[in-house]
Amino acid sequence: MMQGKSILLIIGGGIAAYKSLLLIRLLREAGVKVRPVLTKAGAEFVTPLSVSALAGEKLNEALFDLNDEAEMGHIQLSRAADLVVVAPATADLLAKMAHGIANDLASTLLLATDKPVLIAPAMNVRMWLHPATQRNLAQLAADGIQRIGPDEGDMACGEFGPGRLAEPAEIFSAIAALLGNGPLKGKRILVTSGPTHEPIDPVRYIANRSSGAQGTAIAAALAALGAQVEFITGPASVPPPLGVNVVKVETAAEMLAAVENAAKIGLDAAICAAAVADWRMAEQTSSKIKKTESGALPALQFTENPDILKTIANWGKNRPRLVVGFAAETDDVVRNASEKRLRKGCDWIVANDVRPETGIMGGDENAVTLITAAGAETWPRAAKAEVARRLAARIADALGGQA
Ligand code: C5P
């Protein structure tokens, strides 16, 4: 699907540069030609030899390499690719890009290119949060530069927070979505993701711990296979993926309305990964519930939320061909999830064991069992992006494409 496409990959200087070696491998496996450019600082972290060996390409390191200027000038180099990717994009590279500085090969290529550019930033958390970096990012977004990540987590420098380079599989999915051609081309797929927030009064709400990470990864993987993804998300803690139509909602009722709206022009599949709250307040109050002098506790009255998955699965002639639900279980995972498949009327259930000791809820990995009419299939534990890629490939198979 990405076969024959070509990418100019600029590798900046940062400890995360090793991940761009894995990215090169993923791209090459998918038949993508990678033209690497290593900045001077990048070469402090990964060797020119490993980069060029993995890419199977000559490495472009210096701006005024005489041979290169004769064979292929930097202007041409910046335009020969279908997409320019900067990973890791350091604070320094971002600053140069935002200000149009061109004082080495990487920054010159970035100024000279007429192709879309994707940046995958990676830096220390303070550098990321610094107003200067945030100003540069806003400028780059206004200039139409696409961005993936950074992720939040433990950093090599010992700090914690946003600044980690997105995982190679995530960057790969973002690249594939931007190149936009695959077995799901022409298919419209709805993905619900994240938690919902149900207001108790104007200042309080009921929430759950869903991060939206798995739903986001699935949407990215579907887009990577060329699908037109309608991504309907509650207030998730991870940003939505690239290359999808994003609709942000708060409550289950808003999510259902957005789903119905997206379904107006037909859907081929619906993947319900959202952790929708089961209940909301029976009545809306427009003023904050106050503590009383007597200490009497408020009697909160709940009512049931619509079951979005069940609603979609029972749409009759408007039902998407494939409806997939999720089941977060703590006991008897396969039996409970199989029952849930029948009860909801969906085609597949992706079941996972969310006992705290599995570390799955809120973690980077997932271990799932896919339950279909044909039975249960347990997949090996893997990064959420990997699980998403596998599920997206299965969806492509089911809808008649080939991944
Ligand atoms: O019923 P339970 O919450 O265990 O089912 C989980 C599945 O149902 C998930 O796919 C979730 O997205 C979906 N769901 C929904 N609307 C609800 C509750 C759950 O779409 N109100």
Side-chain angles (χ1 to χ4, degrees), residues 22-236:
L22 301 175
L23 176 63
I24 295 175
R25 258 193 47 204
L26 288 177
L27 289 167
R28 297 270 331 264
E29 277 168 20
V32 177
K33 186 173 149 75
V34 182
R35 202 84 210 261
V37 171
L38 191 58
T39 66
K40 204 158 166 261
E44 301 287 331
F45 292 91
V46 289
T47 71
L49 187 61
S50 43
V51 173
S52 58
L54 279 169
E57 277 282 328
K58 188 169 159 195
L59 187 75
N60 301 89
E61 233 181 315
L63 177 53
F64 297 115
D65 179 317
L66 284 180
N67 284 334
D68 260 6
E69 281 302 293
E71 284 168 19
M72 184 191 240
H74 56 269
I75 301 286
Q76 227 179 319
L77 182 58
S78 76
R79 297 182 186 172
D82 297 296
L83 177 72
V84 180
V85 178
V86 191
T90 58
D92 174 66
L93 266 171
L94 297 183
K96 282 183 185 172
M97 286 174 77
H99 292 89
I101 294 170
N103 60 359
D104 59 8
L105 179 60
S107 53
T108 304
L109 293 172
L110 285 161
L111 196 61
T113 191
D114 60 354
K115 291 293 161 24
V117 177
L118 170 70
I119 53 171
M123 66 197 72
N124 166 274
V125 54
R126 293 273 151 231
M127 291 170 75
W128 173 254
L129 295 172
H130 196 285
T133 303
Q134 292 301 317
R135 254 193 330 267
N136 291 336
L137 283 163
Q139 182 60 55
L140 292 171
D143 294 345
I145 303 291
Q146 302 283 346
R147 170 161 73 86
I148 173 86
D151 290 347
E152 189 171 300
D154 287 322
M155 315 236 347
C157 54
E159 291 187 63
F160 179 90
R164 261 167 60 147
L165 184 69
E167 289 307 316
E170 287 175 74
I171 303 176
F172 177 86
S173 291
I175 290 172
L178 290 171
L179 294 175
N181 200 8
L184 287 173
K185 199 176 170 83
K187 302 278 191 275
R188 266 187 103 233
I189 303 186
L190 173 113
V191 178
T192 70
S193 181
T196 65
H197 286 180
E198 308 295 335
I200 295 172
D201 64 19
V203 294
R204 307 179 178 97
Y205 58 85
I206 303 168
N208 63 64
R209 293 185 199 282
S210 165
S211 64
Q214 188 63 81
T216 299
I218 291 166
L222 291 167
L225 296 186
Q228 181 189 335
V229 178
E230 305 299 327
F231 184 66
I232 300 176
T233 176

Side-chain angles (χ1 to χ4, degrees), residues 192 272-274 276-278 306-309 325-326 340 344:
T192 70
C272 294
V276 184
D278 291 318
D307 189 321
I308 298 168
L309 171 63
F326 280 70
K340 188 168 288 178
K344 301 263 189 179

Side-chain angles (χ1 to χ4, degrees), residues 201-332:
D201 64 19
V203 294
R204 307 179 178 97
Y205 58 85
I206 303 168
N208 63 64
R209 293 185 199 282
S210 165
S211 64
Q214 188 63 81
T216 299
I218 291 166
L222 291 167
L225 296 186
Q228 181 189 335
V229 178
E230 305 299 327
F231 184 66
I232 300 176
T233 176
S237 52
V238 297
L242 294 177
V244 306
N245 296 329
V246 183
V247 181
K248 291 188 176 172
V249 297
E250 291 270 330
T251 64
E254 286 170 11
M255 188 172 273
L256 180 60
V259 164
E260 285 170 343
N261 194 39
K264 279 187 190 145
I265 40 173
L267 291 169
D268 295 286
I271 321 301
C272 294
V276 184
D278 291 318
W279 310 284
R280 66 176 185 279
M281 292 286 284
E283 273 168 38
Q284 300 282 342
T285 58
S286 54
S287 39
K288 187 179 166 196
I289 303 171
K290 298 263 189 245
K291 262 204 269 190
T292 57
E293 286 295 322
S294 66
L297 299 175
L300 301 183
Q301 294 288 328
F302 293 104
T303 186
E304 206 161 301
N305 263 333
D307 189 321
I308 298 168
L309 171 63
K310 201 168 176 179
T311 307
I312 298 174
N314 290 284
W315 262 342
K317 69 176 186 8
N318 291 332
R319 183 192 193 276
R321 267 163 61 204
L322 182 68
V323 178
V324 182
F326 280 70
E329 302 284 347
T330 49
D331 310 282
D332 232 339

